[in-house]
């Protein structure tokens, strides 16, 4: 990528003004946007200025565009220097943008580049006759027809050293040239015999509505096979659920005074007798879950981290290491008040410990 800067002063024109047609074009572009948003037309107006100036943007053209769009010239300069489709230096009558990105390189763009270098020298230089200049650019989106170049506004694809040399000769001699693939193919169809999408039903219309037929067939009740067996296994009558299913059952608790009274027993205790006559003491019991043969699913994983006890898994000492509660320290088998670890110190008469 070349350095994006304005052309040297010596070659900058002294002035620039839009032609009446281009002025009208700029007004038309600006009118597409709300008042105060003239800047939105910048790409189109800069492009037209470049065309008028001979394929590049002189400083004066950039300033004229800025005035037209009510923009600071530096803002227009930022756009002009950012986009590579704007040339900041003069270009040849035929400005060649050579694609040097991977697909084109894999298909022989290196040879095309050699042709350019041998005929016109370094990129960004106009040939002595003023007809040609070239620039290496990134992918131009015609990889299916790699390698390729863009000359002014047209693409020339499927290039080889031979057909590219001929193309340049024709341009130099002002002979007509044909844009697009130079290999004889019409667009990006396969070079050799077509080997895909050959089923006639893809093109003869017989597939039209096929999806509807398929849906209708799938919707028909199955009569045979696995689907039929599955359908047959579905019970024809729906079983009623148990009336108590899911509800709390009010029943007597086992062996309560109320139950005993109901069974004809007379409670001996007067308190029980009173309780037995009170039906509100009947206990409500939640329905039990019906026992099933299957055990509840168990997971081998535990999702609760249980800290292990420090002594877990270690043998328990048979003799206690701490005295029993209530044992006076003097009688304790082992003293645990810290004094047992202190050395016995004797103070001699000079007050020197020994
Ligand atoms: S890589 Fe050259 S056109 Fe895409």
């Amino acid at each position: 990528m070349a350095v994006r800067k304005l052309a040297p002063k010596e070659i900058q024109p002294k002035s620039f003004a839009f032609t009446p047609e281009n002025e009208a074009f700029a007004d038309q572009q600006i009118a597409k946007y709300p008042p105060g948003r003239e800047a939105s037309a910048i790409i189109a107006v800069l492009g037209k200025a470049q065309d008028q100036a001979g394929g590049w943007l002189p400083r004066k053209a950039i300033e004229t565009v800025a005035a037209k769009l009510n923009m600071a010239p530096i803002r227009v300069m930022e756009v002009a220097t950012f986009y590579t489709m704007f040339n900041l230096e003069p270009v040849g009558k035929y400005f060649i943008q050579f694609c040097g990105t991977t697909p084109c390189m894999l298909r022989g763009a290196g040879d095309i580049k050699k042709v350019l270098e041998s005929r016109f020298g370094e990129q960004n230089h106009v040939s002595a006759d003023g007809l040609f200049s070239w620039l290496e650019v990134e992918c131009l989106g015609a990889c299916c027809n790699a390698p390729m170049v863009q000359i002014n506004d047209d693409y020339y694809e499927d290039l080889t050293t031979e057909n590219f040399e001929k193309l340049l000769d024709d341009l130099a001699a002002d002979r007509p040239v044909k844009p697009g693939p130079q290999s004889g193919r019409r667009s990006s169809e396969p070079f050799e015999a077509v080997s895909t999408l050959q089923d006639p039903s893809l093109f003869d219309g017989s597939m039209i509505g096929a999806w509807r037929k398929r849906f209708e067939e799938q919707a028909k009740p199955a009569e045979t096979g696995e689907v039929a067996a599955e359908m047959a296994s579905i019970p024809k009558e729906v079983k009623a659920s148990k009336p108590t299913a899911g509800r709390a059952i009010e029943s007597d608790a086992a062996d309560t005074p109320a139950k005993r009274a109901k069974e004809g027993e007379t409670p001996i205790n007067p308190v029980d007798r009173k309780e037995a006559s009170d039906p509100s003491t009947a206990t409500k019991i939640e329905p039990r879950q019906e026992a099933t043969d299957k055990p509840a699913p168990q997971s081998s994983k535990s999702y609760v981290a249980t800290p292990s006890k420090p002594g877990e898994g270690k043998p328990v000492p048979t003799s206690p290491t701490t005295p029993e509660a209530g044992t006076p320290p003097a009688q304790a088998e082992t003293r645990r008040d810290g004094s047992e670890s202190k050395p016995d110190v004797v103070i001699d008469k000079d007050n020197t410990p020994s």
Side-chain angles (χ1 to χ4, degrees):
M1 172 74 62
V3 179
R4 305 278 300 160
K5 61 180 185 184
L6 295 183
K9 262 190 207 159
E10 312 80 65
I11 58 170
Q12 289 283 351
K14 296 280 175 289
S15 62
F16 178 90
F18 277 122
T19 60
E21 300 79 48
N22 289 347
E23 189 85 45
F25 172 85
D27 290 337
Q28 196 187 18
Q29 295 302 310
I30 292 166
K32 289 180 179 174
Y33 304 99
R37 303 283 179 178
E38 296 84 3
S40 302
I42 188 167
I43 298 288
V45 179
L46 269 177
K48 191 53 87 176
Q50 176 166 283
D51 288 347
Q52 187 181 316
W56 68 292
L57 281 174
R59 177 187 286 275
K60 288 291 173 191
I62 291 173
E63 289 170 0
T64 303
V65 170
K68 183 80 187 161
L69 300 177
N70 292 327
M71 291 173 75
I74 186 64
R75 294 276 170 254
V76 182
M77 204 82 81
E78 285 167 357
V79 175
T81 53
F82 181 79
Y83 291 105
T84 53
M85 64 190 192
F86 297 123
N87 300 310
L88 302 174
E89 296 194 42
V91 293
K93 180 182 174 191
Y94 301 109
F95 174 50
I96 302 166
Q97 297 184 64
F98 154 77
C99 173
T101 305
T102 313
C104 279
M105 274 295 170
L106 291 172
R107 295 276 299 160
D111 295 336
I112 303 302
K113 190 175 183 176
K114 277 183 198 151
V115 171
L116 289 167
E117 284 170 339
S118 65
R119 287 183 73 128
F120 313 122
E122 284 295 296
Q123 59 179 320
N124 270 319
H125 287 95
V126 182
S127 60
D129 56 7
L131 285 180
F132 295 97
S133 67
W134 70 280
L135 175 70
E136 181 168 343
V137 296
E138 300 304 323
C139 178
L140 289 168
C143 320
C144 289
N145 296 67
M148 58 81 66
V149 297
Q150 179 180 346
I151 302 178
N152 294 345
D153 294 332
D154 292 317
Y155 280 11
Y156 297 85
E157 304 152 334
D158 293 342
L159 296 177
T160 60
T161 313
E162 295 73 39
N163 65 26
F164 188 49
E165 291 269 17
K166 182 177 179 308
L167 176 69
L168 294 175
D169 288 343
D170 288 346
L171 288 172
D174 217 10
R175 286 193 290 266
V177 293
K178 179 179 131 331
Q182 303 298 302
S183 58
R185 60 176 174 169
R186 208 160 59 91
S187 53
S188 55
E189 71 274 16
F191 271 115
E192 289 154 8
V194 178
S195 58
T196 57
L197 302 175
Q198 286 183 301
D199 184 349
S201 67
L202 292 170
F203 315 103
D204 62 10
S206 62
M207 295 285 276
I208 296 170
W211 61 271
R212 185 189 296 277
K213 213 181 285 174
R214 199 171 65 244
F215 282 4
E216 282 166 2
E217 273 165 20
Q218 282 174 359
K220 273 185 200 166
E223 285 162 12
T224 54
E226 275 179 40
V227 182
E230 226 170 83
M231 295 294 283
S233 71
I234 299 171
K236 299 284 175 291
E237 282 176 23
V238 183
K239 262 191 190 173
S241 63
K242 290 178 188 170
T244 54
R247 295 191 197 116
I249 299 169
E250 197 167 296
S251 64
D252 294 334
D255 198 26
T256 59
K259 183 168 179 280
R260 272 181 254 136
K262 205 173 164 187
E263 286 168 358
E265 283 182 37
T266 310
I268 304 154
N269 189 331
V271 179
D272 284 356
R273 236 178 273 149
K274 190 169 167 240
E275 194 187 325
S277 64
D278 182 3
S280 69
T281 55
T283 311
K284 268 189 181 179
I285 300 174
E286 291 298 321
R288 275 192 209 159
Q289 284 240 326
E290 288 205 8
T292 58
D293 292 337
K294 282 187 183 172
Q298 297 289 324
S299 168
S300 59
K301 286 180 185 171
S302 169
Y303 296 96
V304 180
T306 311
S308 61
K309 292 173 192 163
E312 210 168 64
K314 291 183 187 159
V316 181
T318 45
S319 62
T321 53
T322 48
E324 272 182 33
T327 312
Q331 295 168 23
E333 229 174 85
T334 315
R335 282 158 61 186
R336 285 282 177 260
D337 59 359
S339 59
E340 75 281 8
S341 59
K342 289 180 192 164
D344 290 334
V345 178
V346 179
I347 308 291
D348 62 18
K349 58 180 184 225
D350 297 320
N351 267 351
T352 310
S354 60

